Amino acid sequence: MDTGQIKNDFTYYKGFEGEGEVTFTYAGLCLHIWDGYIFQIVGKPPLDGKGWHGMTRDYNQLEGPWDEDEADVDAVEYLQDLKHYQGKHLETAQAEQVLSRLIELFRQAAAQQAYVHIEVY
């Protein structure tokens, strides 16, 4: 439901109503994303001995918003983490589009040294 102050974008949640949903809110935009796309991006991280950071860590270790159902996260840390997935072959074209949208959202927030609010349903 659009509140008038926040622009809701359901592009990557349509057709998955009732399934896991993650919202990313920053600067008046709220992206609603099916959890399956998030899994396709960060759910099978490489075990390269460098440790997990940002969304990869929080998602796979059930920390931050995946532990508390919502949290404000460091845009710079999440952006750096998500950039590691660029150019990797994801399962679906939609997951690749989601990755691009998230990188852009976190890039904008990082430029302002801001946080992004994430809610997990």
Side-chain angles (χ1 to χ4, degrees), residues 9-60:
D9 182 345
F10 290 93
T11 302
Y12 300 104
Y13 190 65
K14 285 181 183 171
F16 298 104
E17 292 82 357
E19 296 187 30
E21 175 185 10
V22 183
T23 63
F24 298 82
T25 306
Y26 172 71
L29 174 64
C30 181
L31 295 176
H32 297 256
I33 298 175
W34 175 51
D35 184 65
Y37 293 138
I38 303 301
F39 177 78
Q40 288 179 41
I41 297 167
V42 299
K44 301 179 217 172
L47 300 174
D48 58 10
K50 296 178 184 176
W52 296 339
H53 304 281
M55 190 183 303
T56 300
R57 177 200 57 233
D58 289 354
Y59 184 87
N60 289 286

Side-chain angles (χ1 to χ4, degrees), residues 12 22-25 31-33 37-38 41-42 55 66 75 78-79 82-83 95-109 116 118:
Y12 300 104
V22 183
T23 63
F24 298 82
T25 306
L31 295 176
H32 297 256
I33 298 175
Y37 293 138
I38 303 301
I41 297 167
V42 299
M55 190 183 303
W66 281 272
Y78 268 50
L79 175 62
L82 289 171
K83 286 171 123 180
E96 292 179 11
Q97 292 169 8
V98 167
L99 175 61
S100 293
R101 289 290 306 269
L102 289 174
I103 286 173
E104 182 56 32
L105 181 97
F106 282 102
R107 182 177 286 131
Q108 290 173 7
V116 173
I118 299 176

